[in-house]
Structure formats: C-alpha cells, structure tokens
Amino acid sequence: MSSTAAEVVRLLTVRGETLAVAESLTGGLVAAEITAVPGASKALRGSVTAYATELKREMLGVDATLLADRGAVDPQVAAQMAAGVRKALGADWGIATTGVAGPDPQDGQPVGTVFVAVEGPFAADAGPGFGSAGGGKVEALRLNGDRAEIRMESVRSVLALLLRELAGEQTGNERAQDTERNGGF
C-alpha cells in the first residue's frame, strides 16, 4: 500500500465521495493498490479491467470511431475510459490507465507510452479550457524500464494525478473539518 493510495482513500472518505477505476495496461494493479488501504471500501465502488480494445467500447463507452482511428493508446481514449467507468459504476470520480507496457509496440505507439486520466465533479466555475476532455484531466507519460516498471509507474502516476485533483478540489472549510477530525494534523 502506498501513501498516495492511503491519502486518496482518506480524502475521498472525508468528502463522502466515491471512486471507480478503469484499467488496461495496469491490469488491476490500481484497484489492488487502493484496496490494500484499510477502509477503502468506503470510497472504492469498483473497477473494470478492459484489456481488450472492444471492452473499452462495450463496457466503458469509448467511441468506436476513436478506437478504430487511433487505437486504444490515446489521450482521448484514457479520458473516455475515466468518464465511462465513473458513469458505469455510479462514482463521483473515475480514473483510467491505457498504454504500452511492452515488450512490443502497440497501435503505432512505442513501449512506455502511457496515458492516465481522471474525471470528477469539477467545479462549474473553473472557466473555459479547464481540463482536457469532458471536464477531465489527462496526463501523457513517456516511461522507461521493463514491463513491470512501466506498469507500476503507471499506477503511481494515475494515483498522483487523482490526489492532485482531490487536493485542488478540497475547499478551505473541508480542510478545516478534516484537520479537526484527524487531531489537528
């Protein structure tokens, strides 16, 4: 269990919000990292490991034309996966991973190309241009290492992205309440 996963679960629990996870190259590792945290059941609704491209369309609602034109390793695919799992599992937040862990390139993308995404209840007054797709955020990664290292760094990256979004969304009043509940720390 990582401290990032523990902090994600803590913030979601304090806020009374839930999370859904969509994974491709990480094959369930993100969900495993979150469920390693005691009390994760208060925040995690569930996860979908959509390893096959057609499952991204069928289960997560990723646009068929997008998948046909660009393949599964694409920033818009990641964004649609996060939005799709959020909707499918009825969560406040959705996160997603898609990419190439190796050993071979996929969809014309080299090994180490990864996209992680988060979709959530973003502030309506954030202004135009906030986020990158449907109110969500996508991060493009160029990772080095072997298959296991690329997959683990993808897990760390998507959890860090979610944590940044959760911390940015927390209002001053929520921070004060949280500090009070946790003994002033």
Side-chain angles (χ1 to χ4, degrees), residues 2 4 11 14 17 41 46 52 77 94 103 131 160-162 176:
S2 72
T4 303
L11 279 175
V14 162
E17 294 178 341
S41 61
V77 170
L161 176 61
L162 175 59

Side-chain angles (χ1 to χ4, degrees), residues 12 15 17-21 78-87 90-96 116-126 130-138 158 161-170:
L12 286 167
R15 294 162 61 129
E17 294 178 341
T18 57
L19 174 66
V21 180
Q80 288 184 18
M81 286 173 66
V85 79
R86 177 182 179 217
K87 181 180 178 188
D92 298 298
W93 294 86
I95 58 175
V116 296
V118 60
E119 174 77 28
F122 296 106
D125 61 349
F130 180 77
S132 56
K137 297 259 177 122
V138 179
V158 76
L161 176 61
L162 175 59
L163 183 57
R164 286 194 303 274
E165 293 305 313
L166 285 169
E169 288 284 308
Q170 197 173 23

Side-chain angles (χ1 to χ4, degrees), residues 26-53:
T26 50
L29 294 172
V30 176
E33 191 72 16
I34 294 165
T35 58
V37 178
S41 61
K42 293 181 185 115
L44 182 66
R45 295 268 308 147
S47 68
V48 173
T49 299
Y51 211 59
T53 299

Side-chain angles (χ1 to χ4, degrees), residues 133-179:
K137 297 259 177 122
V138 179
E139 211 168 78
L141 307 172
R142 228 358 145 201
L143 303 176
N144 295 312
D146 64 20
R147 183 174 171 78
E149 290 167 329
I150 289 168
R151 293 173 77 218
M152 287 314 299
E153 186 54 37
S154 300
V155 171
R156 283 190 288 275
S157 296
V158 76
L159 290 174
L161 176 61
L162 175 59
L163 183 57
R164 286 194 303 274
E165 293 305 313
L166 285 169
E169 288 284 308
Q170 197 173 23
T171 66
N173 187 41
E174 287 170 323
R175 276 192 292 273
Q177 290 172 359
D178 181 41
T179 300

